[in-house]
């Protein structure tokens, strides 16, 4: 499925053009606005990319490698560094079989309110103020790589929050009203997440470093079983929750799912190459990985395009930001925007490649009330619509439609999770419960 996947080259818009388009006094051509709505709307893939964001390249290159360094620290050292930099984790880091490590922080709009609320009038940035002190110290962090972790996390996160607000404003102008932008501002906060997708080598190192119990024979069996579990797929989605594994998708870092906020913004991922043969001692004392190109030249983010009834592999320009539509935007826009069904694949035959990314989840306030009046039925209960499409094209591509039907078994339809009058808190709790079981309560870190 990896080598033969059709590539989706994302539609790209430059950051400076995004600012111009989001200005109420803009006299720009409506072509870009039209293309944004086509790509984020019901006939598009639900994604696009933002390029040439000031300072983003430097921040990305400094911050992303820290995800792997944090993941491979000893538990005591990691706990201390996370505490010192006001970070938490919504992943069970004590689980040695985890495929993903995630480090999270709530980002407050108030931290950049003055810049966020000032509308661009001349096309020159309302870019959030990445403090001179912060930017000036980035080049000095090599002495202690975590010294500037919190500042860089906030700087990149606030930059991405501004982009989300600009995009919400553009979509609101196309749809009418200001529902999306107002919903984001009313939430007061977004969640930033620095994510390390483990290579096989990383995961086995963590497993070997874990507590040793029982006989050596039993440990050897557990080691073999751990590697088998790693090959089966991921245990986390981009909402930060553990997921059920599915045997038909044996090589996933993240299982198929929708994000349930308004927009998700992701950095173009960074890939790191670690040694095939490493000891626990050397890995924990020097947990650096060498940056390398994507093995297949794409992001390993896969999306299901409902209109094409196809799974596509996403490709974006280096160092761009990827924007995905979440289910809340789909609901609030009455289907004018289309939420993105997606997963993350693991590169086949590359046991020593890890993937690093930084993600910001923009969502409405927990008290935001949802209405399903005037909401398209094919979005509300897509399984019937998708399966009808699959039947129409069954003989043309049996393998593809088998995958389509399998995805539908994994992902609970919106109709099973959303009822008229639900708040966003109730919707997110029910979504979490149906995907993953348990109470459905979200981490506040």
């Amino acid at each position: 499925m990896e080598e033969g996947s059709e590539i989706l080259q994302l539609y790209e818009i430059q950051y400076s053009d995004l600012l111009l388009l989001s200005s109420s006094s803009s006299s720009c051509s409506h072509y870009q606005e039209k293309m944004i709505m086509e790509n984020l709307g019901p006939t598009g893939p639900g994604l696009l990319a933002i390029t040439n964001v000031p300072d983003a390249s430097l921040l990305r290159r400094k911050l992303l490698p820290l995800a792997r360094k944090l993941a491979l620290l000893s538990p005591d050292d990691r706990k201390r560094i996370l505490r010192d930099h006001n970070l938490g984790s919504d992943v069970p880091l004590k689980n040695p079989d985890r495929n993903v490590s995630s480090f999270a922080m709530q980002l407050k709009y108030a931290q950049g309110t003055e810049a966020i609320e000032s509308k661009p009038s001349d096309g020159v940035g309302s870019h959030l103020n990445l403090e001179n002190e912060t930017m000036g110290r980035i080049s000095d962090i090599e002495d202690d790589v975590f010294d500037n972790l919190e500042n860089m996390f906030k700087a990149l996160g606030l930059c991405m929050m501004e982009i989300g607000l600009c995009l919400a404003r553009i979509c609101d102008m196309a749809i009418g009203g200001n529902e999306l932008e107002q919903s984001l501002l009313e939430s007061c906060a977004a969640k930033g997440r620095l994510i390390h997708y483990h290579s096989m080598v990383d995961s086995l190192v963590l497993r070997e470093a874990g507590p040793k119990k029982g006989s050596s024979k039993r440990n050897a069996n557990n080691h073999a079983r751990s590697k088998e579990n790693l090959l089966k797929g991921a245990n986390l989605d981009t909402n930060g929750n553990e997921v059920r594994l599915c045997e038909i998708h044996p090589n996933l870092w993240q299982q198929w799912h929708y994000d349930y906020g308004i927009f998700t913004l992701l950095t173009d991922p960074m890939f790191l190459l670690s040694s095939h043969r490493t000891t626990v001692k050397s890995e924990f004392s020097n947990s650096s990985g060498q940056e390398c190109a994507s093995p297949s030249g794409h992001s390993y983010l896969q999306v299901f395009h409902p209109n094409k009834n196809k799974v596509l592999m996403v490709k974006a320009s280096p160092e761009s930001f990827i924007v995905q539509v979440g289910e809340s935007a789909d609901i609030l826009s009455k289907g004018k925007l289309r939420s993105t069904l997606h997963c993350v694949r693991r590169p086949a035959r590359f046991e020593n490649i890890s993937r690093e990314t930084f993600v910001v989840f923009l969502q409405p306030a927990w008290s935001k009330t949802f209405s399903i009046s005037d909401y398209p039925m094919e979005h509300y209960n897509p399984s019937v619509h998708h399966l009808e499409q699959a039947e129409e094209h069954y003989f043309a591509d049996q393998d593809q439609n088998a995958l389509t039907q399998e995805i539908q078994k994994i992902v609970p339809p919106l109709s099973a999770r959303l009822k008229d009058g639900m708040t966003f808190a109730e919707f997110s709790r029910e979504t979490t419960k149906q995907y993953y079981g348990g109470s459905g309560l979200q981490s506040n870190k």
Side-chain angles (χ1 to χ4, degrees):
M1 189 63 202
E2 182 179 311
E3 288 78 5
S5 293
E6 185 176 332
I7 299 297
L8 170 65
Q9 179 69 54
L10 293 185
Y11 173 73
E12 297 179 346
I13 179 169
Q14 292 198 44
Y15 174 78
S16 57
D17 289 339
L18 184 78
L19 294 181
L20 281 172
L21 286 168
S22 66
S23 170
S24 58
S25 60
S26 172
S27 58
C28 293
S29 164
H30 291 289
Y31 173 76
Q32 285 180 309
E33 179 183 299
K34 176 176 177 289
M35 291 301 295
I36 288 172
M37 294 306 295
E38 280 188 9
N39 280 273
L40 300 186
T43 61
L47 303 95
L48 51 74
I50 310 297
T51 61
N52 297 322
V53 181
D55 302 319
S57 176
L58 176 61
L59 284 166
R60 173 186 173 275
R61 288 188 169 276
K62 293 293 185 181
L63 182 61
L64 264 56
L66 300 186
R68 182 173 184 270
K69 292 179 183 293
L70 281 169
L72 296 183
L73 284 175
S74 67
D76 288 343
D77 286 342
R78 181 171 57 240
K79 183 177 180 181
R80 172 178 51 80
I81 289 171
L82 293 181
R83 183 186 64 242
D84 290 348
H85 292 275
N86 295 307
L87 287 166
S89 180
D90 36 22
V91 174
L93 295 177
K94 292 182 179 179
N95 176 12
D97 291 327
R98 69 186 186 275
N99 285 347
V100 180
S101 294
S102 172
F103 309 101
M105 181 192 296
Q106 288 282 3
L107 300 165
K108 307 292 185 182
Y109 283 105
Q111 292 169 319
T113 299
E114 183 176 336
I116 289 174
E117 291 182 346
S118 64
K119 311 265 182 166
S121 57
D122 57 359
V124 180
S126 66
H127 193 280
L128 292 173
N129 179 24
L130 307 182
E131 305 169 5
N132 290 334
E133 179 183 0
T134 298
M135 296 304 297
R137 288 164 50 196
I138 286 178
S139 59
D140 299 325
I141 67 170
E142 296 302 325
D143 293 337
D144 188 336
V145 292
F146 297 112
D147 271 359
N148 210 39
L149 173 61
E150 181 178 1
N151 286 333
M152 290 192 297
F153 196 110
K154 287 180 177 178
L156 191 56
L158 291 171
C159 173
M160 294 166 83
M161 290 164 72
E162 183 204 13
I163 288 173
L165 282 170
C166 288
L167 195 57
R169 196 177 302 146
I170 294 167
C171 292
D172 279 339
M173 286 190 286
I175 296 167
N178 65 343
E179 183 81 7
L180 294 172
E181 182 184 8
Q182 193 62 34
S183 294
L184 290 178
L185 290 172
E186 287 173 355
S187 72
C188 299
K191 178 176 279 190
R193 187 175 285 123
L194 181 62
I195 302 177
H196 170 61
Y197 298 85
H198 296 203
S199 68
M200 295 288 192
V201 170
D202 293 341
S203 295
L204 292 175
V205 164
L206 287 170
R207 181 64 180 169
E208 291 171 7
K212 304 294 189 296
K213 296 180 180 179
S215 66
S216 58
K217 182 178 180 180
R218 185 180 307 146
N219 286 332
N221 290 337
N222 288 340
H223 180 88
R225 203 158 39 243
S226 294
K227 186 164 185 178
E228 180 183 351
N229 288 337
L230 292 173
L231 288 165
K232 285 184 178 179
N235 60 354
L236 181 80
D237 77 348
T238 50
N239 293 313
N241 300 290
E242 290 191 67
V243 303
R244 299 184 303 246
L245 300 178
C246 181
E247 297 298 336
I248 200 169
H249 310 298
N251 204 30
L252 297 185
W253 263 316
Q254 290 183 332
Q255 187 56 270
W256 286 99
H257 67 284
Y258 292 99
D259 291 346
Y260 47 75
I262 290 179
F263 292 132
T264 302
L265 280 86
L266 313 90
T267 60
D268 181 53
M270 175 182 290
F271 296 89
L272 298 179
L273 183 68
S274 56
S275 171
H276 273 292
R277 303 183 64 83
T278 184
T279 65
V280 174
K281 182 178 179 181
S282 68
E283 189 69 11
F284 274 82
S285 62
N286 182 20
S287 60
S288 62
Q290 179 182 355
E291 184 177 358
C292 63
S294 165
S296 298
H298 50 64
S299 66
Y300 285 90
L301 172 67
Q302 279 192 318
V303 298
F304 177 77
H305 196 307
N307 273 46
K308 295 184 177 180
N309 193 40
K310 284 184 177 180
V311 172
L312 307 173
M313 190 74 79
V314 173
K315 184 174 183 178
S317 293
E319 301 181 349
S320 61
F321 289 155
I322 299 171
V323 181
Q324 291 181 179
V325 176
E327 289 183 305
S328 292
D330 197 325
I331 297 162
L332 293 171
S333 69
K334 305 293 186 185
K336 299 292 193 305
L337 302 178
R338 170 63 68 86
S339 52
T340 313
L341 180 58
H342 61 284
C343 70
V344 180
R345 290 196 67 82
R346 185 194 291 275
R349 303 182 302 280
F350 291 93
E351 292 190 354
N352 59 338
I353 296 288
S354 67
R355 183 181 187 269
E356 325 299 321
T357 191
F358 181 77
V359 185
V360 172
F361 299 92
L362 304 178
Q363 62 187 44
W366 294 112
S367 58
K368 180 69 177 179
T369 301
F370 289 147
S371 169
I372 59 172
S373 61
D374 302 323
Y375 186 73
M377 187 54 61
E378 63 267 23
H379 290 209
Y380 189 59
N381 191 8
S383 58
V384 174
H385 178 67
H386 289 164
L387 289 178
E388 286 175 351
Q389 285 186 321
E391 288 173 4
E392 290 176 9
H393 302 95
Y394 182 76
F395 292 106
D397 191 345
Q398 294 189 34
D399 289 340
Q400 181 66 59
N401 284 291
L403 178 60
T404 299
Q405 294 185 42
E406 191 63 32
I407 291 171
Q408 294 300 328
K409 293 177 184 177
I410 298 168
V411 180
L414 190 60
S415 58
R417 297 177 282 117
L418 175 67
K419 306 302 177 188
D420 196 45
M422 263 188 173
T423 63
F424 175 66
E426 292 168 334
F427 170 59
S428 63
R429 187 179 303 122
E430 186 62 29
T431 294
T432 304
K433 185 186 298 184
Q434 290 202 31
Y435 269 108
Y436 323 109
S439 66
L441 295 176
Q442 298 294 295
S443 167
N444 290 320
K445 290 187 176 181

